[in-house]
Amino acid sequence: MAFLKLCIFAMVIGCTLAQRPGFKAGPSYPKSQRHFPKRTTDPPVPQEDYVPTEECPESDGFFPDSEQCDKYYACVDGVPTEKLCADGMVFNDYSSHEEKCDLPYNIDCSKRPKLQEPQPTQHCPRKNGYFGHEKPGICDKFYYCVDGQFNMITCPAGLVFNPKTGICTWPDEVGVSGCKSEDIFEFECPAVNETIAVTHPRYADPDDCQFFYVCVNGDTPRRNGCKLGQVFDDTKKHCEWARLVPECADWYKDRLTDAELEELENPKPKEKKKPQRTRGQSRRKPVQVEEDEEEE
């Protein structure tokens, strides 16, 4: 009896849903979702009876090609469907249950180095990815490409684009000809006696009061900067307000007014805005105003 009631309830719910606008009977799903290819009408192969192949180590899942990093296979019941990532992307083989393409910086393609033919566009050697500037010697600018459309990005001061990682790093970490520390900076770390000197000594930039150099292990220069309104004090070896460093007291003269420098050094406390009161129904009792009766 309980089973009969359950069946009747399911039929009622099914009829109700079918009457809703936009409801589609049968298999349907948003195009934006990732799904396995449609299964064949043949009965599925039991996992214990499945014979692995090169394309499909398991009967179902997503598996990388053995030679090409941006090629992979979607396997259903042991039947592979060959697929390609978008140009510039490679297949992420972290999980066979997920269909995902990723940037090559995040994936080890050393064992399957082949890639599809590139589809270059303006400033983009491939349709997707991060790419260095095409002109030699321009090291702090690079392009972020999405579907063949580029956006130029500039690294923070002192950093250059690293094509191995796709991010901005120190010049000594890049190893690209024309973009090393000795190519970027016109500064050479002075020889120091390590027994009496600090491990990473600091030196003022001779051409810019706001910047200074950190010599890593005493010999590799990295350029750093003080925040706006400050300069590097070469005597105390730290950043200080410009007015306190005589040789750089006028460094911001043509860029900031005295009032602006004062505001940077002594910022005004931000006024806390009182939260707006949400008025609900008044709890006050209504005041009855008695009108004086007119005397006849």
Side-chain angles (χ1 to χ4, degrees):
M1 188 66 178
F3 177 74
L4 180 59
K5 291 181 178 180
L6 182 62
C7 292
I8 295 173
F9 176 75
M11 292 175 62
V12 172
I13 294 297
C15 294
T16 303
L17 289 175
Q19 295 174 359
R20 292 174 59 188
F23 178 82
K24 295 182 180 180
S28 178
Y29 48 81
K31 294 181 180 180
S32 61
Q33 295 181 1
R34 302 188 181 102
H35 291 269
F36 291 110
K38 293 182 179 180
R39 292 184 177 274
T40 61
T41 55
D42 299 331
V45 179
Q47 190 67 38
E48 60 271 12
D49 298 333
Y50 178 69
V51 179
T53 63
E54 183 177 359
E55 293 83 4
C56 301
E58 299 175 13
S59 61
D60 297 282
F62 301 98
F63 303 97
D65 183 79
S66 59
E67 297 181 349
Q68 188 168 325
C69 205
D70 54 5
K71 181 193 294 186
Y72 63 100
Y73 302 93
C75 297
V76 176
D77 297 336
V79 179
T81 299
E82 183 180 303
K83 293 192 172 187
L84 273 179
C85 294
D87 182 34
M89 309 289 282
V90 295
F91 180 66
N92 187 328
D93 60 346
Y94 179 76
S95 172
S96 62
H97 300 290
E98 185 174 1
E99 183 181 16
K100 183 180 180 181
C101 292
D102 210 333
L103 290 171
Y105 312 110
N106 304 321
I107 308 299
D108 182 11
C109 289
S110 58
K111 295 182 180 179
R112 43 192 182 106
K114 292 183 179 180
L115 295 171
Q116 62 183 288
E117 286 294 322
Q119 304 170 40
T121 58
Q122 184 183 12
H123 301 306
C124 301
R126 290 187 179 272
K127 295 184 71 173
N128 300 277
Y130 296 93
F131 305 98
H133 202 282
E134 54 268 68
K135 292 184 179 180
I138 300 181
C139 308
D140 62 339
K141 293 178 174 57
F142 63 100
Y143 300 103
Y144 174 44
C145 298
V146 178
D147 198 24
Q149 301 296 316
F150 74 90
N151 181 29
M152 191 175 73
I153 301 174
T154 301
C155 294
L159 302 182
V160 298
F161 176 69
N162 190 338
K164 297 178 182 178
T165 59
I167 59 175
C168 297
T169 56
W170 299 109
D172 57 275
E173 297 176 342
V174 174
V176 176
S177 179
C179 294
K180 299 178 182 178
S181 296
E182 55 268 28
D183 303 318
I184 301 298
F185 307 133
E186 296 180 0
F187 180 85
E188 186 176 349
C189 292
V192 294
N193 187 344
E194 293 185 1
T195 60
I196 60 174
V198 295
T199 306
H200 310 302
R202 295 181 174 188
Y203 303 95
D205 187 321
D207 301 318
D208 194 323
C209 279
Q210 191 177 354
F211 287 85
F212 60 95
Y213 290 95
V214 177
C215 289
V216 180
N217 297 321
D219 55 16
T220 303
R222 289 181 177 178
R223 193 169 185 253
N224 283 263
C226 301
K227 66 181 182 180
L228 187 66
Q230 292 188 344
V231 295
F232 183 71
D233 189 330
D234 200 28
T235 302
K236 298 179 180 179
K237 302 299 181 183
H238 65 226
C239 292
E240 188 58 90
W241 297 108
R243 65 179 180 81
L244 301 176
V245 183
E247 61 270 26
C248 293
D250 296 330
W251 181 251
Y252 293 100
K253 185 176 181 180
D254 297 331
R255 289 185 289 168
L256 298 172
T257 64
D258 292 340
E260 289 173 331
L261 287 170
E262 175 66 22
E263 177 67 20
L264 288 171
E265 187 172 349
N266 301 294
K268 295 179 181 179
K270 294 183 179 179
E271 295 182 0
K272 293 184 179 180
K273 294 184 178 179
K274 294 182 179 180
Q276 293 184 351
R277 180 181 174 185
T278 304
R279 293 188 175 274
Q281 186 176 2
S282 177
R283 296 183 180 180
R284 292 178 178 270
K285 293 182 179 180
V287 179
Q288 295 182 355
V289 180
E290 296 182 359
E291 298 181 356
D292 296 334
E293 296 182 357
E294 297 182 358
E295 297 180 358
E296 296 181 356

PDB file of all heavy atoms in Angstrom, residues 73-98:
ATOM      1  N   TYR A  73      41.917  12.660 -24.224  1.00  0.00           N
ATOM      2  CA  TYR A  73      40.839  11.785 -24.672  1.00  0.00           C
ATOM      3  C   TYR A  73      39.738  11.729 -23.618  1.00  0.00           C
ATOM      4  O   TYR A  73      40.014  11.621 -22.419  1.00  0.00           O
ATOM      5  CB  TYR A  73      41.350  10.369 -24.949  1.00  0.00           C
ATOM      6  CG  TYR A  73      42.457  10.335 -25.978  1.00  0.00           C
ATOM      7  CD1 TYR A  73      43.792  10.374 -25.590  1.00  0.00           C
ATOM      8  CD2 TYR A  73      42.167  10.277 -27.343  1.00  0.00           C
ATOM      9  CE1 TYR A  73      44.813  10.354 -26.521  1.00  0.00           C
ATOM     10  CE2 TYR A  73      43.187  10.260 -28.292  1.00  0.00           C
ATOM     11  CZ  TYR A  73      44.507  10.299 -27.868  1.00  0.00           C
ATOM     12  OH  TYR A  73      45.521  10.291 -28.801  1.00  0.00           O
ATOM     13  N   ALA A  74      38.504  11.820 -24.084  1.00  0.00           N
ATOM     14  CA  ALA A  74      37.339  11.598 -23.229  1.00  0.00           C
ATOM     15  C   ALA A  74      36.856  10.183 -23.499  1.00  0.00           C
ATOM     16  O   ALA A  74      36.445   9.853 -24.615  1.00  0.00           O
ATOM     17  CB  ALA A  74      36.252  12.617 -23.544  1.00  0.00           C
ATOM     18  N   CYS A  75      36.941   9.333 -22.481  1.00  0.00           N
ATOM     19  CA  CYS A  75      36.620   7.916 -22.653  1.00  0.00           C
ATOM     20  C   CYS A  75      35.290   7.583 -21.993  1.00  0.00           C
ATOM     21  O   CYS A  75      35.052   7.934 -20.829  1.00  0.00           O
ATOM     22  CB  CYS A  75      37.723   7.053 -22.044  1.00  0.00           C
ATOM     23  SG  CYS A  75      39.328   7.267 -22.863  1.00  0.00           S
ATOM     24  N   VAL A  76      34.418   6.916 -22.736  1.00  0.00           N
ATOM     25  CA  VAL A  76      33.144   6.434 -22.230  1.00  0.00           C
ATOM     26  C   VAL A  76      32.985   4.988 -22.659  1.00  0.00           C
ATOM     27  O   VAL A  76      33.024   4.683 -23.859  1.00  0.00           O
ATOM     28  CB  VAL A  76      31.969   7.284 -22.765  1.00  0.00           C
ATOM     29  CG1 VAL A  76      30.641   6.702 -22.293  1.00  0.00           C
ATOM     30  CG2 VAL A  76      32.099   8.719 -22.312  1.00  0.00           C
ATOM     31  N   ASP A  77      32.871   4.096 -21.682  1.00  0.00           N
ATOM     32  CA  ASP A  77      32.764   2.662 -21.951  1.00  0.00           C
ATOM     33  C   ASP A  77      33.929   2.178 -22.798  1.00  0.00           C
ATOM     34  O   ASP A  77      33.775   1.309 -23.669  1.00  0.00           O
ATOM     35  CB  ASP A  77      31.439   2.337 -22.650  1.00  0.00           C
ATOM     36  CG  ASP A  77      30.236   2.680 -21.781  1.00  0.00           C
ATOM     37  OD1 ASP A  77      30.407   2.719 -20.547  1.00  0.00           O
ATOM     38  OD2 ASP A  77      29.148   2.915 -22.331  1.00  0.00           O
ATOM     39  N   GLY A  78      35.120   2.793 -22.581  1.00  0.00           N
ATOM     40  CA  GLY A  78      36.311   2.358 -23.298  1.00  0.00           C
ATOM     41  C   GLY A  78      36.458   2.927 -24.683  1.00  0.00           C
ATOM     42  O   GLY A  78      37.433   2.625 -25.378  1.00  0.00           O
ATOM     43  N   VAL A  79      35.527   3.782 -25.108  1.00  0.00           N
ATOM     44  CA  VAL A  79      35.591   4.382 -26.445  1.00  0.00           C
ATOM     45  C   VAL A  79      36.166   5.793 -26.316  1.00  0.00           C
ATOM     46  O   VAL A  79      35.557   6.653 -25.665  1.00  0.00           O
ATOM     47  CB  VAL A  79      34.204   4.424 -27.101  1.00  0.00           C
ATOM     48  CG1 VAL A  79      34.289   5.067 -28.482  1.00  0.00           C
ATOM     49  CG2 VAL A  79      33.620   3.015 -27.199  1.00  0.00           C
ATOM     50  N   PRO A  80      37.344   6.088 -26.909  1.00  0.00           N
ATOM     51  CA  PRO A  80      37.966   7.411 -26.765  1.00  0.00           C
ATOM     52  C   PRO A  80      37.444   8.419 -27.788  1.00  0.00           C
ATOM     53  O   PRO A  80      37.177   8.079 -28.938  1.00  0.00           O
ATOM     54  CB  PRO A  80      39.447   7.121 -27.000  1.00  0.00           C
ATOM     55  CG  PRO A  80      39.450   5.970 -27.955  1.00  0.00           C
ATOM     56  CD  PRO A  80      38.231   5.142 -27.632  1.00  0.00           C
ATOM     57  N   THR A  81      37.312   9.662 -27.333  1.00  0.00           N
ATOM     58  CA  THR A  81      37.031  10.784 -28.231  1.00  0.00           C
ATOM     59  C   THR A  81      38.194  11.756 -28.115  1.00  0.00           C
ATOM     60  O   THR A  81      38.445  12.295 -27.040  1.00  0.00           O
ATOM     61  CB  THR A  81      35.721  11.491 -27.850  1.00  0.00           C
ATOM     62  OG1 THR A  81      34.632  10.565 -27.946  1.00  0.00           O
ATOM     63  CG2 THR A  81      35.467  12.672 -28.764  1.00  0.00           C
ATOM     64  N   GLU A  82      38.924  11.974 -29.199  1.00  0.00           N
ATOM     65  CA  GLU A  82      40.105  12.851 -29.169  1.00  0.00           C
ATOM     66  C   GLU A  82      39.676  14.316 -29.060  1.00  0.00           C
ATOM     67  O   GLU A  82      38.773  14.767 -29.758  1.00  0.00           O
ATOM     68  CB  GLU A  82      40.934  12.637 -30.431  1.00  0.00           C
ATOM     69  CG  GLU A  82      42.216  13.456 -30.471  1.00  0.00           C
ATOM     70  CD  GLU A  82      43.019  13.209 -31.740  1.00  0.00           C
ATOM     71  OE1 GLU A  82      43.372  12.035 -32.004  1.00  0.00           O
ATOM     72  OE2 GLU A  82      43.269  14.189 -32.466  1.00  0.00           O
ATOM     73  N   LYS A  83      40.364  15.064 -28.171  1.00  0.00           N
ATOM     74  CA  LYS A  83      40.050  16.468 -27.968  1.00  0.00           C
ATOM     75  C   LYS A  83      41.332  17.288 -27.881  1.00  0.00           C
ATOM     76  O   LYS A  83      42.401  16.760 -27.578  1.00  0.00           O
ATOM     77  CB  LYS A  83      39.224  16.662 -26.699  1.00  0.00           C
ATOM     78  CG  LYS A  83      37.826  16.080 -26.767  1.00  0.00           C
ATOM     79  CD  LYS A  83      36.984  16.566 -25.604  1.00  0.00           C
ATOM     80  CE  LYS A  83      35.534  16.165 -25.747  1.00  0.00           C
ATOM     81  NZ  LYS A  83      34.667  16.769 -24.709  1.00  0.00           N
ATOM     82  N   LEU A  84      41.200  18.606 -28.134  1.00  0.00           N
ATOM     83  CA  LEU A  84      42.319  19.531 -28.041  1.00  0.00           C
ATOM     84  C   LEU A  84      41.952  20.704 -27.141  1.00  0.00           C
ATOM     85  O   LEU A  84      40.824  21.196 -27.191  1.00  0.00           O
ATOM     86  CB  LEU A  84      42.695  20.079 -29.426  1.00  0.00           C
ATOM     87  CG  LEU A  84      43.675  19.280 -30.285  1.00  0.00           C
ATOM     88  CD1 LEU A  84      43.871  19.995 -31.621  1.00  0.00           C
ATOM     89  CD2 LEU A  84      45.011  19.084 -29.596  1.00  0.00           C
ATOM     90  N   CYS A  85      42.909  21.134 -26.335  1.00  0.00           N
ATOM     91  CA  CYS A  85      42.716  22.365 -25.570  1.00  0.00           C
ATOM     92  C   CYS A  85      42.809  23.556 -26.514  1.00  0.00           C
ATOM     93  O   CYS A  85      43.312  23.448 -27.631  1.00  0.00           O
ATOM     94  CB  CYS A  85      43.786  22.492 -24.484  1.00  0.00           C
ATOM     95  SG  CYS A  85      43.703  21.242 -23.186  1.00  0.00           S
ATOM     96  N   ALA A  86      42.338  24.709 -26.061  1.00  0.00           N
ATOM     97  CA  ALA A  86      42.490  25.931 -26.844  1.00  0.00           C
ATOM     98  C   ALA A  86      43.975  26.217 -27.038  1.00  0.00           C
ATOM     99  O   ALA A  86      44.808  25.878 -26.181  1.00  0.00           O
ATOM    100  CB  ALA A  86      41.810  27.092 -26.130  1.00  0.00           C
ATOM    101  N   ASP A  87      44.336  26.826 -28.149  1.00  0.00           N
ATOM    102  CA  ASP A  87      45.733  27.106 -28.472  1.00  0.00           C
ATOM    103  C   ASP A  87      46.400  27.911 -27.349  1.00  0.00           C
ATOM    104  O   ASP A  87      45.915  28.968 -26.955  1.00  0.00           O
ATOM    105  CB  ASP A  87      45.811  27.887 -29.782  1.00  0.00           C
ATOM    106  CG  ASP A  87      47.236  28.165 -30.208  1.00  0.00           C
ATOM    107  OD1 ASP A  87      48.111  27.318 -29.963  1.00  0.00           O
ATOM    108  OD2 ASP A  87      47.473  29.247 -30.777  1.00  0.00           O
ATOM    109  N   GLY A  88      47.499  27.378 -26.822  1.00  0.00           N
ATOM    110  CA  GLY A  88      48.209  28.021 -25.721  1.00  0.00           C
ATOM    111  C   GLY A  88      47.940  27.377 -24.381  1.00  0.00           C
ATOM    112  O   GLY A  88      48.681  27.598 -23.425  1.00  0.00           O
ATOM    113  N   MET A  89      46.886  26.586 -24.290  1.00  0.00           N
ATOM    114  CA  MET A  89      46.554  25.867 -23.065  1.00  0.00           C
ATOM    115  C   MET A  89      46.983  24.407 -23.206  1.00  0.00           C
ATOM    116  O   MET A  89      47.146  23.900 -24.314  1.00  0.00           O
ATOM    117  CB  MET A  89      45.053  25.944 -22.781  1.00  0.00           C
ATOM    118  CG  MET A  89      44.479  27.346 -22.807  1.00  0.00           C
ATOM    119  SD  MET A  89      44.978  28.348 -21.411  1.00  0.00           S
ATOM    120  CE  MET A  89      43.875  27.700 -20.155  1.00  0.00           C
ATOM    121  N   VAL A  90      47.169  23.731 -22.072  1.00  0.00           N
ATOM    122  CA  VAL A  90      47.525  22.312 -22.072  1.00  0.00           C
ATOM    123  C   VAL A  90      46.583  21.567 -21.137  1.00  0.00           C
ATOM    124  O   VAL A  90      45.943  22.164 -20.260  1.00  0.00           O
ATOM    125  CB  VAL A  90      48.994  22.094 -21.645  1.00  0.00           C
ATOM    126  CG1 VAL A  90      49.950  22.707 -22.670  1.00  0.00           C
ATOM    127  CG2 VAL A  90      49.258  22.667 -20.260  1.00  0.00           C
ATOM    128  N   PHE A  91      46.522  20.250 -21.307  1.00  0.00           N
ATOM    129  CA  PHE A  91      45.585  19.454 -20.518  1.00  0.00           C
ATOM    130  C   PHE A  91      46.117  19.226 -19.111  1.00  0.00           C
ATOM    131  O   PHE A  91      47.267  18.852 -18.908  1.00  0.00           O
ATOM    132  CB  PHE A  91      45.327  18.105 -21.201  1.00  0.00           C
ATOM    133  CG  PHE A  91      44.369  17.225 -20.437  1.00  0.00           C
ATOM    134  CD1 PHE A  91      43.047  17.601 -20.285  1.00  0.00           C
ATOM    135  CD2 PHE A  91      44.801  16.043 -19.861  1.00  0.00           C
ATOM    136  CE1 PHE A  91      42.162  16.810 -19.569  1.00  0.00           C
ATOM    137  CE2 PHE A  91      43.920  15.241 -19.142  1.00  0.00           C
ATOM    138  CZ  PHE A  91      42.599  15.621 -18.997  1.00  0.00           C
ATOM    139  N   ASN A  92      45.251  19.456 -18.130  1.00  0.00           N
ATOM    140  CA  ASN A  92      45.582  19.226 -16.728  1.00  0.00           C
ATOM    141  C   ASN A  92      45.154  17.805 -16.372  1.00  0.00           C
ATOM    142  O   ASN A  92      43.964  17.501 -16.302  1.00  0.00           O
ATOM    143  CB  ASN A  92      44.854  20.246 -15.847  1.00  0.00           C
ATOM    144  CG  ASN A  92      45.283  20.182 -14.396  1.00  0.00           C
ATOM    145  OD1 ASN A  92      45.633  19.127 -13.883  1.00  0.00           O
ATOM    146  ND2 ASN A  92      45.256  21.321 -13.721  1.00  0.00           N
ATOM    147  N   ASP A  93      46.149  16.941 -16.152  1.00  0.00           N
ATOM    148  CA  ASP A  93      45.868  15.524 -15.900  1.00  0.00           C
ATOM    149  C   ASP A  93      45.841  15.183 -14.414  1.00  0.00           C
ATOM    150  O   ASP A  93      46.056  14.035 -14.023  1.00  0.00           O
ATOM    151  CB  ASP A  93      46.900  14.645 -16.609  1.00  0.00           C
ATOM    152  CG  ASP A  93      48.320  14.928 -16.137  1.00  0.00           C
ATOM    153  OD1 ASP A  93      48.534  15.964 -15.477  1.00  0.00           O
ATOM    154  OD2 ASP A  93      49.230  14.122 -16.429  1.00  0.00           O
ATOM    155  N   TYR A  94      45.559  16.180 -13.573  1.00  0.00           N
ATOM    156  CA  TYR A  94      45.556  15.947 -12.129  1.00  0.00           C
ATOM    157  C   TYR A  94      44.480  14.932 -11.727  1.00  0.00           C
ATOM    158  O   TYR A  94      44.710  14.078 -10.886  1.00  0.00           O
ATOM    159  CB  TYR A  94      45.324  17.260 -11.390  1.00  0.00           C
ATOM    160  CG  TYR A  94      45.269  17.121  -9.891  1.00  0.00           C
ATOM    161  CD1 TYR A  94      46.443  16.934  -9.153  1.00  0.00           C
ATOM    162  CD2 TYR A  94      44.062  17.166  -9.206  1.00  0.00           C
ATOM    163  CE1 TYR A  94      46.397  16.791  -7.779  1.00  0.00           C
ATOM    164  CE2 TYR A  94      44.013  17.021  -7.831  1.00  0.00           C
ATOM    165  CZ  TYR A  94      45.181  16.833  -7.122  1.00  0.00           C
ATOM    166  OH  TYR A  94      45.139  16.683  -5.757  1.00  0.00           O
ATOM    167  N   SER A  95      43.309  15.015 -12.337  1.00  0.00           N
ATOM    168  CA  SER A  95      42.219  14.098 -12.005  1.00  0.00           C
ATOM    169  C   SER A  95      41.556  13.623 -13.290  1.00  0.00           C
ATOM    170  O   SER A  95      41.210  14.421 -14.152  1.00  0.00           O
ATOM    171  CB  SER A  95      41.186  14.790 -11.109  1.00  0.00           C
ATOM    172  OG  SER A  95      40.037  13.974 -10.935  1.00  0.00           O
ATOM    173  N   SER A  96      41.374  12.320 -13.406  1.00  0.00           N
ATOM    174  CA  SER A  96      40.738  11.759 -14.602  1.00  0.00           C
ATOM    175  C   SER A  96      39.232  12.009 -14.617  1.00  0.00           C
ATOM    176  O   SER A  96      38.574  11.754 -15.620  1.00  0.00           O
ATOM    177  CB  SER A  96      41.001  10.254 -14.686  1.00  0.00           C
ATOM    178  OG  SER A  96      40.440   9.586 -13.554  1.00  0.00           O
ATOM    179  N   HIS A  97      38.693  12.535 -13.508  1.00  0.00           N
ATOM    180  CA  HIS A  97      37.261  12.795 -13.434  1.00  0.00           C
ATOM    181  C   HIS A  97      36.902  14.213 -13.861  1.00  0.00           C
ATOM    182  O   HIS A  97      35.725  14.561 -13.923  1.00  0.00           O
ATOM    183  CB  HIS A  97      36.753  12.565 -12.008  1.00  0.00           C
ATOM    184  CG  HIS A  97      36.970  11.166 -11.508  1.00  0.00           C
ATOM    185  ND1 HIS A  97      36.279  10.082 -12.006  1.00  0.00           N
ATOM    186  CD2 HIS A  97      37.819  10.672 -10.569  1.00  0.00           C
ATOM    187  CE1 HIS A  97      36.676   8.978 -11.390  1.00  0.00           C
ATOM    188  NE2 HIS A  97      37.609   9.311 -10.516  1.00  0.00           N
ATOM    189  N   GLU A  98      37.925  15.033 -14.156  1.00  0.00           N
ATOM    190  CA  GLU A  98      37.664  16.433 -14.495  1.00  0.00           C
ATOM    191  C   GLU A  98      38.290  16.791 -15.832  1.00  0.00           C
ATOM    192  O   GLU A  98      39.458  16.496 -16.085  1.00  0.00           O
ATOM    193  CB  GLU A  98      38.215  17.359 -13.407  1.00  0.00           C
ATOM    194  CG  GLU A  98      37.873  18.818 -13.624  1.00  0.00           C
ATOM    195  CD  GLU A  98      38.314  19.692 -12.467  1.00  0.00           C
ATOM    196  OE1 GLU A  98      38.907  19.156 -11.511  1.00  0.00           O
ATOM    197  OE2 GLU A  98      38.073  20.911 -12.513  1.00  0.00           O
TER     198      GLU A  98
END
